[in-house]
Amino acid sequence: MKVTDEAAKPVELDQTAVGRLSRMDALQNQHLTQNLKEREGVRYALLHEALKRLENGTYGACSECGSEIDFDRLFVFPETPVCAACG
Ligand SMILES: [Zn+2]
């Protein structure tokens, strides 16, 4: 009986800890989703700008220093307006 009581204690503590962690996770996930939405909005705006640059023929040129953006960088970040040095 005594052994069972002692064994049950850490389980209770664990459940409390898990409950707290779950709430923190939920809050963190909510925060992450908000951040993601904001970032998606920023990315959409950048993509829109990139399409405009494609139309007027300035796509691929850094908007800061005017040098050509590396193809590797454009491949990973097609929406980037600046080269690796300026970004
Ligand atoms: Zn640059």
Side-chain angles (χ1 to χ4, degrees):
M1 208 44 192
K2 202 181 176 188
V3 172
T4 310
D5 282 348
E6 272 170 24
K9 273 181 189 173
V11 174
E12 263 175 59
L13 281 173
D14 278 351
Q15 278 171 344
T16 310
V18 167
R20 255 184 229 147
L21 279 177
S22 298
R23 278 196 293 279
M24 275 169 68
D25 265 359
L27 284 172
Q28 217 162 20
N29 282 341
Q30 208 175 29
H31 198 68
L32 280 176
T33 307
Q34 275 172 356
N35 279 351
L36 196 67
K37 272 183 194 165
E38 278 168 32
R39 256 182 290 156
E40 289 281 287
V42 169
R43 191 156 196 235
Y44 180 81
L46 283 172
L47 272 170
H48 198 75
E49 290 297 312
L51 283 173
K52 267 199 244 170
R53 290 198 299 279
L54 267 176
E55 276 173 20
N56 64 29
T58 59
Y59 182 76
C62 173
S63 68
E64 289 289 320
C65 68
S67 67
E68 225 173 280
I69 303 174
D70 284 343
F71 179 77
D72 283 350
R73 183 171 164 80
L74 286 176
F75 189 76
V76 180
F77 305 111
E79 74 278 18
T80 187
V82 293
C83 71
C86 297

